[in-house]
Amino acid sequence: MDKQTRIYLAGHLGLAGSAIARALRASGYQNIITKNHQDLELLDQVATDNFFKAYQPQVVILCAAKVGGILANSTYPYDFCYQNLSIQNNVISSAHKYNVQRFIFLASSCIYPKLASQPIREEYLLTGTLEETNHAYAIAKLAGVELINSLRKQHNRSYITLMPTNLYGIGDSYDTNHSHVFAALIKKIHQAKISNQPTVTLWGTGKPRREFLFSDDLGDAVCHLLQLDEPTFTSFDMLNVGVGRDGTILELAQTIAQILQTNVTFTFDTSKPDGTPQKLLDVSRLKSLGWSAKTPLETGVSIAYQDFLQNHST
């Protein structure tokens, strides 16, 4: 793809979006269009439509979304459902109206069935009951997937969906009420370290298994896909993006403690939910297109922790 292609990256300040922005710039793309929330309200269809009319992007990467962990999803289900539905509907419909050539929609591995067979293949979507704690968010994202697939079928659009596994990395959210498990653990273990606390309490049993992808690897995957020729780019309607390996929440906490050089021990608050027991993605489709994740977990934890110290520890 031409390096002068007009690429609209929606949600460029978030964990996924900022990583994709870094990857696009490193790959030499020179015409990346971004808008802050104050400059473009994606919940407003008229404003979104006017933006597409004025800027005429050729490629859209939709990362903009309302996201959060178990607590936030459980507390604000209406916000998660309504806002994500609105953002997706507005951006996808405007992209179709103004003839965007390629569209990459970021969904999430958390919208797969709660008890899906492992590793999770793309075709397992909508084959079982969703996880209760993020039901509203999942419903919204599933609607976005269906919009993308419907445009492929009805209008032959070169639009695809990516299903990233749990992300971590530079620019993660460490807000107590909205952070995901990875960021929450870094913050908890760091606080225990600096205050000489001997223990850290984990939500649930510590037994659920999770797969974690360094956010800059996601950015690299997006750039790889944009370089594919047209038939290859659209060969799959949906692609899992992960590392193909997982571990327990307790094992992740122990790895973080080792990187932070602290000897804390872990206790468990079993009154809190575990969530999905396991969520490991089958990444064979993306591997068949020539891409696989590159960043070892230990390396990614070190980078994420340095970012936390520099930007979030206070």
Side-chain angles (χ1 to χ4, degrees):
M1 197 170 69
D2 193 310
K3 300 298 182 180
Q4 295 297 327
T5 298
R6 296 185 301 279
I7 301 173
Y8 171 44
L9 176 58
H12 69 289
L13 297 177
L15 177 61
S18 60
I20 293 171
R22 287 191 295 273
L24 289 171
R25 294 186 183 105
S27 296
Y29 290 101
Q30 300 172 26
N31 205 348
I32 304 166
I33 305 165
T34 59
K35 289 290 179 181
N36 294 330
H37 178 75
Q38 294 84 353
D39 299 323
L40 175 58
E41 176 54 82
L42 295 177
L43 294 172
D44 183 337
Q45 177 67 83
V46 174
T48 305
D49 222 43
N50 288 338
F51 164 79
F52 273 82
K53 183 178 181 180
Y55 286 86
Q56 297 288 320
Q58 298 163 282
V59 172
V60 171
I61 304 166
L62 178 53
C63 306
K66 183 172 181 61
V67 298
I70 289 177
L71 178 60
N73 274 275
S74 300
T75 307
Y76 308 106
Y78 171 78
D79 295 348
F80 277 85
C81 192
Y82 172 76
Q83 291 185 30
N84 283 303
L85 281 170
S86 298
I87 291 168
Q88 295 160 190
N89 290 344
N90 294 344
V91 174
I92 294 171
S93 63
S94 291
H96 172 55
K97 180 178 179 179
Y98 290 100
N99 201 33
V100 166
Q101 297 166 15
R102 289 188 178 187
F103 196 114
I104 296 178
F105 171 58
L106 261 67
S108 169
S109 63
C110 72
I111 72 174
Y112 281 115
K114 178 177 181 177
L115 300 178
S117 299
Q118 306 290 319
I120 304 171
R121 299 177 62 84
E122 289 88 350
E123 55 263 33
Y124 296 168
L125 197 69
L126 292 172
T127 61
T129 304
L130 300 170
E131 160 60 36
E132 297 87 349
T133 56
N134 71 335
H135 191 272
Y137 171 83
I139 290 293
K141 284 294 183 179
L142 286 166
V145 173
E146 186 60 31
L147 271 178
I148 293 295
N149 289 344
S150 297
L151 281 169
R152 286 171 60 96
K153 294 173 184 175
Q154 186 174 338
H155 296 283
N156 198 32
R157 287 295 191 188
S158 296
Y159 293 3
I160 65 172
T161 296
L162 299 188
M163 303 286 271
T165 191
N166 300 280
L167 294 177
Y168 71 96
I170 299 169
D172 209 341
S173 170
Y174 294 91
D175 181 275
T176 302
N177 295 320
H178 295 88
S179 63
H180 289 95
V181 62
F182 191 100
L185 286 176
I186 282 186
K187 185 175 181 178
K188 278 186 177 183
I189 296 169
H190 169 78
Q191 290 175 337
K193 176 183 178 179
I194 62 175
S195 60
N196 294 314
Q197 296 174 9
T199 63
V200 169
T201 300
L202 305 181
W203 273 31
T205 64
K207 295 178 181 178
R209 302 186 67 84
R210 292 292 182 269
E211 174 184 16
F212 291 94
L213 177 71
F214 188 55
S215 58
D216 282 55
D217 280 354
L218 172 63
D220 184 61
V222 168
C223 287
H224 177 82
L225 291 169
L226 290 178
Q227 287 304 307
L228 299 177
D229 61 30
E230 191 60 31
T232 309
F233 178 79
T234 56
S235 55
F236 297 109
D237 58 352
M238 190 163 60
L239 291 163
N240 287 337
V241 190
V243 298
R245 299 181 302 278
D246 66 359
T248 67
I249 296 299
L250 175 58
E251 289 169 342
L252 172 64
Q254 291 169 336
T255 298
I256 293 173
Q258 182 180 12
I259 298 296
L260 271 57
Q261 298 181 335
T262 180
N263 293 318
V264 296
T265 57
F266 297 97
T267 59
F268 306 95
D269 181 357
T270 55
S271 69
K272 297 296 194 296
D274 269 339
T276 304
Q278 185 179 18
K279 195 172 63 172
L280 173 64
L281 296 183
D282 183 310
V283 292
S284 55
R285 281 188 180 182
L286 195 49
K287 282 189 175 182
S288 75
L289 298 179
W291 186 89
S292 58
K294 300 176 178 64
T295 307
L297 181 62
E298 294 78 8
T299 302
V301 170
S302 297
I303 296 171
Y305 184 54
Q306 289 305 311
D307 176 63
F308 171 80
L309 291 176
Q310 292 172 16
N311 300 300
H312 305 284
S313 61
T314 58

